Amino acid sequence: MVEVDTKDLAFKWGKQRGVGGKDKKVRFFQSFSYGSVEYALYDCVYLYGEGETEPYIGKLIKIWENPDKTKKVKVLWFFRPREIQYYVGVEDTAKDELFLASGEGAGLANVNPLEAIVGKCNVVCTSEDSKNPQPTEEQLRTADFIFYRAFDVGHCRILDKIEEKVAGVEVKFIFNRVEAQEPNVVLELDSAKKEVFGNAVASNKTEFPLKKNPSKEHTTQKSNVISINSLWKENADTNTSLVKQKSSLREQPAYRIRVESKISKTNDRQENISLDKSALRSVDFPIKGEGRVVKNLVRNEEKLKSSHDCNELEDRPSENVICVRIEEKVKSIHDCGELDDRPSKKAKLDCSVKVFGDKKEKSVRKLPVDLSRHDARGVGTVIDFEDKSRLKLVKDSRGVENGPLKKLKLDEKTKPFDGKNFVKSEKGKSSRDCSELEDRPSKKAKFDGPVKVLGNQNEKRGQKIAVDSDLIDAKVLPVVTACEYKYRLKLAKDSQVDEKGSSKKLKPDENTKLSNGKLPRASPRQFADEDKKFDHQIMEITRRPDADKSKWFRAIPWEDRMKSANELGTLVLLQNLDPAYTSAEVEDIVWHGFKENCRAKMIQRTSISSPHCGLLLEVPELLASLRRNQLFLAILLLINLDIRCQGK
Amino acid sequence: MGSSAAQADYAAFLEKVKRTIYLDNLSPQVTEPVVRTALNQFGAVKNVQFIPNYMGPRNIAECALVEMEDVRQAKAVLSEISQFPFMMSGMPRPVRARPAQVEMFDERPIKPGRRIQCRWLEENDPDFEIAREMKRLTNKHAAEAAFLQKKQLQEEEKLAKQQLDTLKGNYKKYEMVDSIMADGTARRLARHYNLRVAED
């Protein structure tokens, strides 16, 4: 007994059939042995069903081992009449009859772990097909189940003929095996004889432990009860219709044989009552047919879906990888969409796949990020070079542009220097003029010192006096005698006293000059003055043709005349001049003051110019002396005073 | 006959003065065509005359006398320029405008009926000292004006330099931005930092 127990736990692989196509580590086998029982490909076996009182029945189609040492089998299912009653509503089927799954859809075949196999089962095909070897009476007697019809899983209907291929399996493997069955039968007979109790189960090739036998006996007892009920039903049917009678007649021999075998089993059961008490309790479990059938089908569907999904999931990660590798955002978006579209039931698998895919995507995304970073750096360097080159070009262009600007600046620098030099020269002249003005009283003192005066000096003094008189009274005087002249001078003096108090000082000067001078000398002075007066009148007349000439000379640009005058040294700047004067007026004034013609131009008044404007003159060389300039400046200052006095 | 002709000429001159505008604070780059183009939006420009600068430095602002067709246009120009900043080519200097005065014209006729008297002064004359004092004040005012002008020019040069630096910086900035957009660096950076940037 101890040895038997150890043997039962042993598992061995039989003959290896081949290697997997996708994964070479997967090994397919022809057979295996579990304990003392040997299972071969295309054998019918019982499979454990959770929550079911009766196990499932299926045919082994594939047997393999995965690389992770997990053992799998693919099973082609058989349906009990109770399981498909919901869809078909069959009532005339035998209780020992099974329906082979066929067609396409859920419930046809399924992958299950190898450990789910409970034991072997003897199923005999009683189809009248030519390919099917007909079973013998002994085979029918020892068979647990029979089948001769198929159940289309897709259309949910019964087929009278079995298809050529079902789930990829040929018919010859589905039908009875002639050669294989005979030695099995012989072995069973031998084992039956050896047993003491004479109890034998056709499906068992070797002895099972005593504990397991009672459960099977009880199952057979149930089937006996059910079969009796069916016989009653069949009898009733024979009374109603001929067709049913024919079917019942065909089935009678099978039931008679089964009745005999069941009687013998009941006898054996009575002997083992004491040992099977615990097993009786399991028989009392309630039976739920329709609900469980539906659930089973649903479960099968789920299993099939899960298997398909597993296959799809296995393929999808590779596709995701490919999509990610292609680095196209559109495909990745579609993949995300597909992942999102998956049902919630597959959340675990989908989550794992998502995580895997996300990881791959992240890892792949990092690569383009790195590449983009490198590219960005490279592009950045290129940009830097381009920017540098552009900056250089800009600098070069700016340098080129700055060239003329620099030249302009140099020109500007030179110009203000010229202006400054001009101003400095003017300042020097003005300072010299001031010094000469200071020197004047000493010279005049010398002149006043000696009693005797030269004729030339007297003439100069006479000229000054004449100029003053002419300026004071700008009237044309007729020729008069000496007495009348003296009288008129007195009248003039009186008028001056009345009009201007400032002119009183002039009187004593004139008196002193007259008293100091001799009369015969005074007479030629008077004549000279008269001559000059005449000359003055004539000069005024001649000024007009000068004005006409000036009109003619206006054609010459003033800048050119300034340049030439500056070169010759005849350019003079007058300051502190009333801006109301015009150029022509200034020319007249100069003519009256110096008896010389000149070209004058008033500087235009602007907001930036100094409040006391000046005048640019083109003066002959004789009048360009310092002394003359000094006198001229004095005259101009006086003119301003006179005008302002008149204004007041 | 001469006096009547002189009066007619002087009256015509005064009429010209009324429709003439004095423009100040002009950039050195401003020329006669620029002034004509700028003021043609207000009316027809008859004549443009730039007042030359004989005394001061060359880089000070230029002045111009612009003669319009009629007095109404001249007043329109004055009102617009006085209300809003008006700029011409070159530096962004606002142009100043005011009515022209008689003293601003170089070739103007002699005013008829004017009487001018002049005489020589002796050193002992009391007016001589007054004239001398006037001369000194004139020189002082001229020096002060020159100094103020110099300071103003320095300020203008400083402002011009600042404007040039700002302009250079802005130009460089915009050039960099344009190059980044053209080379595609902006799009790459936007993708890297997961930002949305319009293609334009």
Side-chain angles (χ1 to χ4, degrees):
Chain A
M1 293 299 291
V2 174
E3 292 178 355
V4 170
D5 293 333
T6 55
K7 289 180 180 179
D8 293 336
L9 296 174
F11 176 83
K12 291 182 179 178
W13 285 110
K15 183 180 178 182
Q16 185 172 350
R17 186 180 179 186
V19 180
K22 293 180 180 178
D23 191 357
K24 291 183 179 180
K25 292 182 180 178
V26 177
R27 296 184 296 170
F28 290 87
F29 294 92
Q30 186 70 27
S31 64
F32 66 93
S33 63
Y34 185 78
S36 60
V37 182
E38 291 184 359
Y39 297 87
L41 198 64
Y42 304 113
D43 282 351
C44 297
V45 296
Y46 288 108
L47 290 161
Y48 172 74
E50 186 176 1
E52 296 289 336
T53 56
E54 293 181 351
Y56 298 110
I57 301 167
K59 183 182 282 287
L60 298 175
I61 300 172
K62 288 183 180 179
I63 304 166
W64 73 87
E65 184 183 22
N66 287 325
D68 57 356
K69 303 298 180 182
T70 57
K71 297 178 272 293
K72 299 287 184 180
V73 294
K74 189 173 183 181
V75 178
L76 177 63
W77 298 107
F78 287 99
F79 291 100
R80 297 175 188 274
R82 182 173 61 259
E83 294 176 353
I84 62 174
Q85 189 174 3
Y86 177 78
Y87 297 97
V88 177
V90 176
E91 294 180 356
D92 57 349
T93 58
K95 296 304 176 182
D96 293 339
E97 187 178 0
L98 298 175
F99 293 88
L100 181 68
S102 65
E104 293 181 357
L108 178 65
N110 197 355
V111 177
N112 290 282
L114 187 142
E115 288 77 7
I117 295 170
V118 176
K120 293 185 74 173
C121 179
N122 189 5
V123 178
V124 176
C125 180
T126 59
S127 175
E128 293 180 357
D129 193 348
S130 60
K131 295 181 181 179
N132 184 25
Q134 296 298 317
T136 61
E137 291 181 356
E138 291 179 356
Q139 289 177 350
L140 292 173
R141 190 181 300 116
T142 58
D144 293 330
F145 299 96
I146 61 171
F147 77 95
Y148 64 94
R149 293 184 289 182
F151 176 75
D152 189 353
V153 176
H155 300 284
C156 298
R157 60 190 178 84
I158 294 171
L159 303 175
D160 292 334
K161 292 183 179 179
I162 297 169
E163 296 176 353
E164 293 292 331
K165 284 189 175 181
V166 178
V169 179
E170 293 182 1
V171 173
K172 65 181 181 179
F173 295 108
I174 295 169
F175 291 157
N176 296 323
R177 293 177 289 181
V178 176
E179 295 178 357
Q181 289 291 329
E182 287 178 356
N184 291 330
V185 171
V186 171
L187 291 171
E188 288 172 1
L189 291 170
D190 294 335
S191 65
K193 289 179 181 179
K194 290 179 182 179
E195 289 179 358
V196 175
F197 298 101
N199 185 12
V201 178
S203 64
N204 294 326
K205 294 181 180 179
T206 59
E207 291 181 358
F208 276 93
L210 294 174
K211 292 181 180 179
K212 292 184 179 179
N213 290 327
S215 63
K216 292 184 178 180
E217 289 176 356
H218 288 294
T219 56
T220 54
Q221 188 177 3
K222 287 181 181 179
S223 66
N224 292 329
V225 172
I226 292 164
S227 65
I228 291 162
N229 291 328
S230 66
L231 288 170
W232 287 104
K233 289 181 180 178
E234 288 178 357
N235 290 327
D237 292 336
T238 54
N239 293 327
T240 57
S241 65
L242 295 173
V243 173
K244 291 182 179 179
Q245 286 176 0
K246 289 180 180 179
S247 65
S248 65
L249 288 171
R250 290 179 182 176
E251 293 174 357
Q252 282 177 1
Y255 286 108
R256 287 177 183 177
I257 293 163
R258 290 181 181 177
V259 169
E260 290 176 356
S261 66
K262 289 174 183 177
I263 291 162
S264 65
K265 289 180 181 179
T266 54
N267 292 328
D268 294 334
R269 176 169 172 278
Q270 287 174 1
E271 290 175 358
N272 295 326
I273 290 166
S274 63
L275 297 174
D276 297 335
K277 287 180 180 179
S278 63
L280 288 171
R281 293 178 181 177
S282 65
V283 175
D284 295 335
F285 289 159
I287 296 167
K288 297 179 180 178
E290 294 180 359
R292 290 185 179 180
V293 169
V294 173
K295 288 180 181 178
N296 292 328
L297 291 171
V298 170
R299 288 177 184 175
N300 290 326
E301 289 177 358
E302 288 179 357
K303 289 179 181 178
L304 290 170
K305 286 181 181 178
S306 65
S307 65
H308 287 292
D309 294 331
C310 289
N311 292 325
E312 289 176 359
L313 290 171
E314 288 176 359
D315 294 334
R316 285 178 185 175
S318 64
E319 290 177 357
N320 290 328
V321 170
I322 291 162
C323 294
V324 170
R325 287 177 182 175
I326 291 165
E327 296 180 2
E328 291 183 2
K329 291 181 179 179
V330 175
K331 288 187 178 180
S332 64
I333 290 163
H334 286 295
D335 294 332
C336 293
E338 288 177 0
L339 292 170
D340 294 333
D341 291 334
R342 291 176 183 176
S344 61
K345 290 181 180 179
K346 305 170 186 176
K348 292 181 180 179
L349 293 171
D350 295 339
C351 289
S352 64
V353 171
K354 284 179 183 178
V355 169
F356 184 71
D358 292 335
K359 288 180 180 178
K360 285 190 174 181
E361 286 177 359
K362 287 179 181 178
S363 63
V364 173
R365 283 176 184 174
K366 287 179 181 178
L367 292 173
V369 167
D370 295 331
L371 291 171
S372 66
R373 286 178 182 176
H374 289 292
D375 292 335
R377 289 177 183 176
V379 172
T381 54
V382 171
I383 288 164
D384 292 335
F385 286 115
E386 288 179 357
D387 290 335
K388 288 179 180 178
S389 63
R390 288 181 184 178
L391 289 171
K392 288 179 181 177
L393 292 172
V394 170
K395 287 179 181 177
D396 293 334
S397 64
R398 287 178 181 174
V400 170
E401 291 176 358
N402 289 325
L405 291 174
K406 290 179 180 178
K407 291 179 181 178
L408 292 172
K409 289 180 181 178
L410 291 171
D411 294 335
E412 289 177 357
K413 289 180 180 178
T414 54
K415 289 178 181 178
F417 284 125
D418 294 336
K420 289 179 181 178
N421 291 326
F422 189 72
V423 172
K424 287 179 181 179
S425 64
E426 290 174 357
K427 288 180 180 179
K429 289 179 181 178
S430 64
S431 64
R432 289 176 184 177
D433 294 336
C434 292
S435 64
E436 289 174 357
L437 286 170
E438 290 175 358
D439 292 336
R440 288 183 70 187
S442 63
K443 290 180 181 178
K444 289 183 178 180
K446 289 178 182 178
F447 292 136
D448 294 334
V451 175
K452 292 181 180 179
V453 177
L454 296 174
N456 292 328
Q457 292 178 357
N458 290 325
E459 289 178 357
K460 289 182 180 178
R461 289 179 180 176
Q463 289 178 358
K464 291 180 182 178
I465 293 163
V467 168
D468 293 336
S469 64
D470 294 332
L471 292 171
I472 293 163
D473 297 324
K475 294 181 179 178
V476 177
L477 298 173
V479 177
V480 295
T481 60
C483 295
E484 290 178 354
Y485 181 71
K486 288 180 181 179
Y487 178 74
R488 288 184 180 179
L489 287 173
K490 288 180 181 179
L491 291 173
K493 288 179 181 179
D494 292 336
S495 66
Q496 287 179 359
V497 170
D498 293 333
E499 293 177 353
K500 299 179 180 178
S502 62
S503 64
K504 288 180 181 179
K505 293 182 180 179
L506 293 173
K507 292 179 182 179
D509 294 335
E510 291 179 356
N511 290 325
T512 54
K513 290 179 181 178
L514 292 170
S515 64
N516 290 328
K518 294 178 181 180
L519 292 172
R521 292 183 180 178
S523 62
R525 290 181 181 176
Q526 291 176 359
F527 288 112
D529 291 338
E530 290 176 359
D531 293 333
K532 288 182 179 179
K533 290 177 182 177
F534 287 112
D535 292 339
H536 180 69
Q537 293 175 1
I538 294 166
M539 292 300 293
E540 287 180 354
I541 294 165
T542 55
R543 183 170 61 83
R544 293 178 182 177
D546 292 336
D548 295 333
K549 290 181 181 179
S550 67
K551 289 181 181 178
W552 183 75
F553 277 109
R554 285 179 184 174
I556 299 170
W558 180 254
E559 285 76 9
D560 296 337
R561 294 174 68 184
M562 282 177 65
K563 289 181 181 178
S564 62
N566 192 14
E567 291 174 359
L568 293 173
T570 58
L571 183 65
V572 177
L573 174 66
L574 298 178
Q575 294 181 349
N576 195 20
L577 192 65
D578 191 351
Y581 288 157
T582 61
S583 301
E585 290 175 351
V586 172
E587 289 174 0
D588 294 338
I589 290 165
V590 170
W591 185 81
H592 284 282
F594 293 95
K595 304 295 182 183
E596 293 292 341
N597 291 326
C598 67
R599 299 294 180 189
K601 180 179 174 66
M602 291 292 291
I603 295 172
Q604 299 175 12
R605 180 180 175 183
T606 59
S607 61
I608 297 168
S609 64
S610 64
H612 300 278
C613 297
L615 176 67
L616 296 173
L617 288 174
E618 184 181 9
V619 183
E621 291 181 0
L622 294 174
L623 296 177
S625 63
L626 297 175
R627 186 174 178 182
R628 295 292 182 184
N629 290 329
Q630 187 175 2
L631 293 170
F632 198 79
L633 289 170
I635 288 167
L636 295 175
L637 291 171
L638 182 60
I639 289 163
N640 288 330
L641 288 171
D642 292 335
I643 291 164
R644 291 179 185 180
C645 290
Q646 291 176 3
K648 289 178 180 179
Chain B
M1 294 298 290
S3 64
S4 65
Q7 286 180 357
D9 292 338
Y10 195 74
F13 174 73
L14 290 177
E15 187 66 22
K16 181 180 176 183
V17 169
K18 287 181 181 177
R19 65 171 182 269
T20 304
I21 300 160
Y22 169 75
L23 297 178
D24 194 4
N25 203 24
L26 296 172
S27 177
Q29 287 86 13
V30 174
T31 57
E32 183 176 345
V34 172
V35 174
R36 285 180 177 275
T37 305
L39 297 180
N40 272 332
Q41 58 180 320
F42 301 103
V45 176
K46 287 184 70 177
N47 186 20
V48 176
Q49 181 184 0
F50 284 90
I51 297 172
N53 178 22
Y54 298 115
M55 300 298 295
R58 295 288 178 180
N59 59 349
I60 62 173
E62 292 188 1
C63 309
L65 292 168
V66 180
E67 184 180 355
M68 306 297 288
E69 272 192 347
D70 55 4
V71 178
R72 186 176 59 80
Q73 292 178 6
K75 288 182 179 179
V77 172
L78 289 169
S79 65
E80 288 290 331
I81 292 175
S82 63
Q83 289 179 5
F84 303 102
F86 189 81
M87 297 184 186
M88 294 185 184
S89 65
M91 293 180 183
R93 286 179 174 174
V95 175
R96 293 196 293 259
R98 65 183 70 179
Q101 296 178 3
V102 175
E103 293 81 6
M104 294 177 179
F105 295 83
D106 55 351
E107 296 178 356
R108 58 180 185 268
I110 298 168
K111 185 175 181 181
R114 186 171 186 177
R115 185 182 176 190
I116 300 171
Q117 296 178 1
C118 61
R119 60 190 175 89
W120 290 100
L121 292 177
E122 297 292 335
E123 291 181 1
N124 56 1
D125 196 322
D127 294 337
F128 187 82
E129 294 297 328
I130 295 168
R132 194 172 178 180
E133 185 66 18
M134 290 294 291
K135 183 178 178 183
R136 190 181 68 79
L137 288 173
T138 303
N139 291 332
K140 184 180 178 184
H141 292 168
E144 288 177 354
F147 180 77
L148 290 174
Q149 198 173 47
K150 187 178 178 183
K151 284 291 181 182
Q152 187 176 359
L153 288 172
Q154 287 179 358
E155 290 293 331
E156 284 187 358
E157 287 179 359
K158 187 176 179 181
L159 181 62
K161 185 178 179 182
Q162 185 179 355
Q163 287 175 353
L164 183 63
D165 292 339
T166 304
L167 185 64
K168 191 187 292 183
N170 287 331
Y171 176 77
K172 187 176 178 181
K173 183 172 70 176
Y174 284 113
E175 189 181 12
M176 187 184 290
V177 169
D178 289 336
S179 65
I180 286 168
M181 295 301 291
D183 294 340
T185 305
R187 284 188 278 102
R188 279 194 287 274
L189 290 171
R191 187 169 63 251
H192 177 256
Y193 290 105
N194 196 16
L195 297 174
R196 287 187 176 181
V197 175
E199 290 296 331
D200 296 335

